[in-house]
Amino acid sequence: MARERRRRGPEKAARRDGGAGVGAGPAARPGRGWALLALAALGLAAGLAYGLYGRWRLARRVVTPHPAPRVLPAGTTGPRAAPERFWGSYRPHVYFGMRPRSPRPPVAGLMWLLQTAEPQLRHTCEQSDGLPRYGWLLHDGLRFGAQEIRDRGLVLRTEFVKRLGGEHGGDWSWRITARPEGVGDQTSLLSLFFYVATDGQGTLQPHLEGTRLVSVTGTSEELGSFNITFHKPTTESGEALKYASYNHLDARSPGLHRLTDVVKNSLSNRFVYAAPGGPKRRYFAVHTFPVLSEELGQAPHSHLLLHQVTLQPPCHVEVTFESGSFLGRPGSLVGRALTEELAHHVAAFEQRFEETFALGRKGFPLQQQRFAQAALSNMLGGMGYFHGHSLVQSAHSQQPLPYLEGSLFTAVPSRSFFPRGFLWDEGFHQLLLARWDPALSREVIAYWLDLMNVEGWIPREQILGDEARAKVPPEFILQHNEAANPPTLFLALEQLLREPAQGPAELAYLRRLYPRLRTWYEWYNSTQVGPLPYTFRWRGRDPDTNLFLNPKTLTSGLDDYPRASHPSPAERHLDLRCWMALASGVMAEVAEQLGEPAAEYRLMQQALSDNAQLEQQHWAEQLGMFADYGNHSEAVVLEREKVRVPPGRPQPPARLVRVVRKPPMLQFVGALGYVSLFPLLLQLLQPSSPHLGRILGDMRSEQKLWTPYGLRSLAPTSPLYMKHNTEHDPPYWRGAIWVNMNYLAVRALHHYARREGPYRHQAAELYHELRANLLSNLYRQYAESGYLWEQYSDSTGRGQGCYPFTGWSALVVLLMAEEY
Ligand SMILES: *[C@@H]1O[C@H](CO)[C@@H](O)[C@H](O)[C@H]1NC(C)=O
Ligand SMILES: *[C@@H]1O[C@H](CO)[C@@H](O)[C@H](O)[C@H]1NC(C)=O
Ligand SMILES: *[C@@H]1O[C@H](CO)[C@@H](O)[C@H](O)[C@H]1NC(C)=O
């Protein structure tokens, strides 16, 4: 079932205080004549105007860009400066498609349909399609990728390879291989639909031979002139296929987000497939007349040209994109030339993978190496390029405002369920990508920081453009500017700072980044402060305590992880404090490298990681754990509301409401789980700390956090373990095993196993056991289910939540490689 992970913005009523004294004009005293009255009226009007202006100005701040020069100035990521990254599989929400890194380019993609009794058009990645397996097996993030998709007895292999040349990002070729799953099996007839579509600019021209769309020529701002050729299908050995049937569509769509609808609406089964010697069969095909945009109720924005080929697998179908400015190409990249090019890239990928992660050398069997290759490839193949603006709301405005128009190049948590950027996920993604391609990571971090406003805020969920928006229910689109998210990009930066090659280019990069990093840090350090010095508090918790067993803290990333039962300004959140310690340390290091004043950051880091101070503010002696502090009661339950209705009237359905059995008081929050581990996870604890022994004990205890599959998020001894938060809100971070936190745990154990101290051996033992448990379960689940998952059951180890989830669950590669 679909979860609403991190989707829910805090449903906060717009506040009405203007902040700048609306209507604070001077009051007129009575009896002083018209002149005074007039003056007073003027003053009042001016005051009113000033107040309105002040409010407007405050409200505009949320959409005012940061004044520092962009880390990535216009053009630096375009086809001339970075041709090798211009085209890519940057449309992670479709099963197979490509676009260049520019705001509104023409895009290309694949749809398919098995001509069965219940034909289903496949296009965007949907969990409801129920595909038993799909994902990239190999993808270098740059030049090539190979994906395998299984759909009801059919195996589709989708491959692309790029070839640089000219001034517009060069050429690319696709090869789709379709074959039945089992040897000797036969699938139904298969229709493959290849399309190219504009997004507001550029022109496309179809070239037909009968009903067959042979090629498309086009032009656009960023691509210049180009052509796309749909080659005739062949057998797997390259001979012409005996028979195939062709249809095409030339249509207008309101936008790229409606392409599936346009194609669906144009399908009809009045076409006949008549292979010589075989039975005549009716099949579904697109009409050869345009579907009028009026039927879709919106103005056309997109021109769609689509080539449909219907055939009996097995087969190969190839498509080539050729750029007009690429002169003197050595011939089209098709057939044998394409086969050779693909083989060359496969070999190069495998060699680089082994050089980077050394899994062969570590003795992993081939199947597990393939699993790790797929995990990395899916994170790379899940990278997307998005353009548009978020919708944001400031506390100072009653209306949502469009945020700065911007572009984002980012990995995504899940191609089906979360195909867009999430701030805190991204820090974890980059831990893996920085090992594979540090330059890529630097660029992604720059894209994120360039989305910052003048306040230092970055919206935590990036829903840019129509296609991204189409995947999000309207009520979750709005982003609030008091909402934080763990600043995990500091984890990635810390990793990048450790890269051996720190030359002038890396320093120049840091220098560009620095003004934004400072403001980002200050934003956290001012807007998320806690009640005491060096304490912190997540803003934006669910305000309506009556409806939730425990008001959620979406901003922390840990959604429903139990916090103080009654949100209040007296709260101090342990995880945020630890994140701030990390951020302070990385800021100090960056400042030192740049020769900027670093003392303030160092002091802050020292204060935040001072073990005595940490204990004073977060060690709960009675509970024997590090904990949050706040206005809290453990005695809360959800009960059916009793509504009295007059006799004879129907009883309305009773809703669940929270009943507080014992009044809350200021105390530590008893919830042993990921939050309690933070001083260990982010390595703030001294190796000699006696609390380290206690924490390691809790981690290893099967009654508490240990399972054969990894560390669970919340101990069964915690009152809210596996509890629903509302009727419709099942437990999320209340027991399940999450890979990002387990990665931090393994990394920390590795750290403590290498430091002198009384718990060194215990840490080393746990390190080996936890790592082995995670590896064997993640691999087993992948082998059985075909996917990496969002989370894993703490009782059975089974993957659950959404899939494929090759965001932070792909950190399994670093666990295998022992790279921390
Ligand atoms: C496509 O464009 C390339 C380069 O401009 C050209 O060599 C080729 O002949 C064109 N192919 C078609 C089918 O138009
Ligand atoms: C963070 O904020 C505190 C005040 O709450 C201030 O004393 C401290 O200097 C700030 N730290 C940095 C590094 O800006
Ligand atoms: C704790 O919450 C209760 C119920 O909302 C409230 O009456 C009380 O004042 C709060 N106490 C503190 C210290 O915030």
Side-chain angles (χ1 to χ4, degrees):
M1 210 204 73
R3 306 280 176 92
E4 301 294 354
R5 170 176 179 247
R6 286 166 300 165
R7 270 187 174 183
R8 298 193 183 162
E11 287 113 64
K12 197 166 173 287
R15 266 199 269 144
R16 292 187 55 89
D17 54 327
V22 177
R29 271 192 243 138
R32 282 283 198 101
W34 286 108
L36 256 184
L37 255 180
L39 253 182
L42 254 179
L44 198 72
L48 204 66
Y50 183 75
L52 282 175
Y53 171 73
R55 181 202 287 207
W56 178 84
R57 212 169 36 113
L58 278 171
R60 294 302 300 178
R61 270 177 72 77
V62 69
V63 294
T64 304
H66 192 277
R70 299 173 62 82
V71 188
L72 299 168
T76 44
T77 60
R80 276 163 206 258
E84 69 286 355
R85 290 203 206 282
F86 192 54
W87 275 102
S89 54
Y90 306 142
R91 306 177 66 211
H93 59 290
V94 299
Y95 286 114
F96 187 57
M98 288 188 27
R99 66 170 283 167
R101 296 202 307 183
S102 71
R104 295 200 162 277
V107 304
L110 170 74
M111 305 184 193
W112 76 91
L113 180 146
L114 276 166
Q115 301 278 354
T116 61
E118 283 175 53
Q120 276 160 14
L121 185 69
R122 310 289 193 203
H123 180 215
T124 52
C125 302
E126 303 293 342
Q127 273 185 208
S128 56
D129 287 347
L131 299 190
R133 190 175 277 264
Y134 69 93
W136 296 97
L137 302 175
L138 306 163
H139 196 304
D140 68 0
L142 211 52
R143 294 178 204 93
F144 107 110
Q147 176 178 235
E148 199 171 273
I149 301 170
R150 285 166 195 253
D151 184 9
R152 294 181 295 173
L154 173 77
V155 182
L156 277 183
R157 190 174 169 98
T158 67
E159 293 166 294
F160 76 88
V161 66
K162 286 162 37 181
R163 188 157 71 176
L164 291 187
E167 285 159 16
H168 299 88
D171 297 351
W172 49 254
S173 295
W174 288 0
R175 173 181 286 168
I176 311 301
T177 306
R179 54 181 168 77
E181 199 159 356
V183 185
D185 288 359
Q186 218 192 13
T187 69
S188 323
L189 275 186
L190 169 69
S191 290
L192 296 170
F193 306 79
F194 298 92
Y195 67 81
V196 49
T198 61
D199 188 16
Q201 55 93 15
T203 60
L204 298 177
Q205 191 100 54
H207 301 277
L208 295 170
E209 273 173 16
T211 60
R212 185 168 110 82
L213 180 62
V214 178
S215 69
V216 173
T217 49
T219 58
S220 83
E221 282 165 20
E222 58 286 280
L223 293 172
S225 68
F226 58 86
N227 63 30
I228 296 180
T229 308
F230 305 107
H231 299 271
K232 283 203 163 159
T234 66
T235 64
E236 287 194 73
S237 55
E239 292 135 42
L241 213 61
K242 285 203 194 75
Y243 182 83
S245 179
Y246 299 99
N247 304 80
H248 80 280
L249 183 65
D250 182 342
R252 305 275 161 179
S253 164
L256 298 181
H257 61 298
R258 300 296 301 276
L259 294 182
T260 317
D261 298 330
V262 170
V263 175
K264 261 188 191 159
N265 286 0
S266 80
L267 287 173
S268 136
N269 75 339
R270 59 192 164 98
F271 297 89
V272 178
Y273 180 90
K280 287 195 167 44
R281 297 167 59 181
R282 282 169 98 73
Y283 73 96
F284 281 88
V286 289
H287 291 258
T288 51
F289 59 84
V291 176
L292 296 178
S293 58
E294 286 78 36
E295 288 173 23
L296 296 158
Q298 279 163 295
H301 180 76
S302 174
H303 183 196
L304 168 74
L305 288 175
L306 178 139
H307 163 80
Q308 176 180 357
V309 51
T310 301
L311 42 70
Q312 182 66 60
C315 69
H316 271 167
V317 185
E318 294 174 356
V319 177
T320 47
F321 172 96
E322 295 187 336
S323 168
S325 65
F326 187 165
L327 303 173
R329 73 171 54 73
S332 288
L333 199 50
V334 287
R336 189 175 309 160
L338 180 55
T339 303
E340 279 168 15
E341 195 67 11
L342 282 168
H344 160 77
H345 282 297
V346 169
F349 175 90
E350 294 197 331
Q351 189 184 341
R352 178 167 161 206
F353 190 85
E354 179 61 19
E355 278 164 11
T356 311
F357 301 112
L359 300 188
R361 203 142 33 90
K362 280 183 178 291
F364 283 100
L366 194 61
Q367 280 314 308
Q368 292 189 22
Q369 294 179 45
R370 296 257 177 267
F371 159 66
Q373 288 178 347
L376 171 75
S377 296
N378 277 303
M379 192 183 277
L380 287 162
M383 295 207 63
Y385 188 87
F386 306 93
H387 184 87
H389 53 75
S390 306
L391 220 50
V392 302
Q393 174 120 36
S394 144
H396 299 294
S397 68
Q398 292 167 39
Q399 296 299 322
L401 293 170
Y403 195 65
L404 316 165
E405 180 154 335
S407 301
L408 181 63
F409 183 48
T410 184
V412 305
S414 163
R415 288 174 61 193
S416 60
F417 211 73
F418 302 112
R420 53 189 174 276
F422 286 82
L423 183 55
W424 96 291
D425 292 69
E426 201 52 30
F428 288 103
H429 299 159
Q430 295 311 318
L431 284 176
L432 175 57
L433 296 188
R435 313 285 168 151
W436 179 251
D437 188 345
L440 175 70
S441 271
R442 287 196 186 90
E443 203 175 82
V444 169
I445 293 170
Y447 266 104
W448 274 95
L449 289 176
D450 274 344
L451 289 171
M452 181 181 293
N453 74 1
V454 65
E455 298 168 333
W457 176 64
I458 305 173
R460 71 193 159 96
E461 184 168 351
Q462 293 287 332
I463 309 161
L464 305 179
D466 293 337
E467 282 188 285
R469 204 162 288 174
K471 280 271 188 176
V472 188
E475 65 270 33
F476 302 127
I477 285 176
L478 204 55
Q479 306 283 305
H480 292 264
N481 77 331
E482 81 281 5
N485 215 198
T488 53
L489 293 180
F490 283 110
L491 278 176
L493 274 173
E494 184 185 43
Q495 162 61 31
L496 285 168
L497 290 172
R498 284 201 224 131
E499 285 288 318
Q502 295 290 328
E506 284 72 24
L507 270 187
Y509 168 78
L510 282 183
R511 198 166 289 289
R512 295 194 76 83
L513 216 54
Y514 192 60
R516 286 168 189 272
L517 285 178
R518 281 186 64 103
T519 323
W520 201 37
Y521 180 93
E522 278 162 28
W523 184 84
Y524 282 95
N525 195 33
S526 56
T527 67
Q528 311 288 308
V529 286
L532 302 173
Y534 306 117
T535 62
F536 290 89
R537 173 168 72 89
W538 298 109
R539 301 304 195 269
R541 293 191 60 194
D542 284 328
D544 197 347
T545 53
N546 195 27
L547 293 178
F548 305 97
L549 185 58
N550 186 277
K552 287 192 301 299
T553 315
L554 295 169
T555 50
S556 72
L558 307 173
D559 295 22
D560 65 346
Y561 188 94
R563 308 278 182 167
S565 61
H566 292 67
S568 75
E571 270 177 276
R572 23 191 220 252
H573 292 130
L574 175 60
D575 49 341
L576 183 49
R577 178 207 170 94
C578 297
W579 286 122
M580 289 307 291
L582 169 85
S584 306
V586 175
M587 284 304 293
E589 202 173 326
V590 174
E592 279 157 13
Q593 288 211 8
L594 292 175
E596 296 280 342
E600 227 186 327
Y601 295 118
R602 269 291 166 235
L603 281 176
M604 194 74 184
Q605 181 205 17
Q606 280 154 8
L608 290 177
S609 42
D610 178 69
N611 277 212
Q613 171 116 230
L614 180 66
E615 261 171 50
Q616 206 174 36
Q617 290 168 344
H618 286 287
W619 178 258
E621 186 55 40
Q622 285 191 338
L623 301 166
M625 60 168 113
F626 283 105
D628 281 351
Y629 184 86
N631 194 14
H632 183 61
S633 167
E634 267 193 8
V636 293
V637 286
L638 288 177
E639 281 184 356
R640 295 270 163 215
E641 193 174 34
K642 292 188 187 74
V643 186
R644 248 185 247 171
V645 287
R649 291 275 191 83
Q651 186 78 25
R655 56 176 199 168
L656 282 177
V657 290
R658 181 166 89 162
V659 178
V660 181
R661 294 257 160 80
K662 209 175 124 203
M665 56 182 228
L666 288 176
Q667 57 177 318
F668 286 108
V669 180
L672 179 68
Y674 289 164
V675 167
S676 343
L677 300 184
F678 258 79
L680 169 130
L681 295 179
L682 295 182
Q683 306 172 12
L684 301 185
L685 273 190
Q686 296 299 327
S688 57
S689 165
H691 301 318
L692 182 55
R694 180 76 191 242
I695 292 183
L696 294 177
D698 286 345
M699 284 167 77
R700 187 60 189 85
S701 159
E702 278 162 43
Q703 280 74 52
K704 294 178 177 172
L705 299 179
W706 194 260
T707 83
Y709 321 109
L711 296 175
R712 49 165 79 91
S713 41
L714 191 63
T717 50
S718 168
L720 296 195
Y721 172 74
M722 291 309 264
K723 288 273 198 309
H724 269 58
N725 208 35
T726 69
E727 204 158 352
H728 308 290
D729 211 353
Y732 200 44
W733 291 83
R734 292 185 179 174
I737 296 163
W738 291 80
V739 178
N740 62 335
M741 289 294 139
N742 273 279
Y743 172 77
L744 290 181
V746 172
R747 187 179 87 134
L749 291 170
H750 188 261
H751 166 85
Y752 289 110
R754 267 156 193 72
R755 299 291 179 288
E756 269 320 320
Y759 308 106
R760 186 176 176 174
H761 294 294
Q762 204 180 340
E765 235 167 76
L766 249 63
Y767 167 75
H768 292 294
E769 274 188 279
L770 180 57
R771 173 173 175 266
N773 285 349
L774 287 162
L775 292 191
S776 72
N777 191 56
L778 285 167
Y779 177 69
R780 186 167 62 236
Q781 298 303 322
Y782 177 80
E784 281 172 13
S785 70
Y787 294 105
L788 277 168
W789 293 74
E790 183 183 24
Q791 38 164 277
Y792 294 84
S793 159
D794 68 329
S795 53
T796 63
R798 283 177 67 97
Q800 56 187 29
C802 70
Y803 68 88
F805 192 96
T806 44
W808 61 45
S809 295
L811 289 175
V812 64
V813 180
L814 295 184
L815 293 177
M816 293 171 82
E818 304 191 82
E819 292 273 359
Y820 309 111

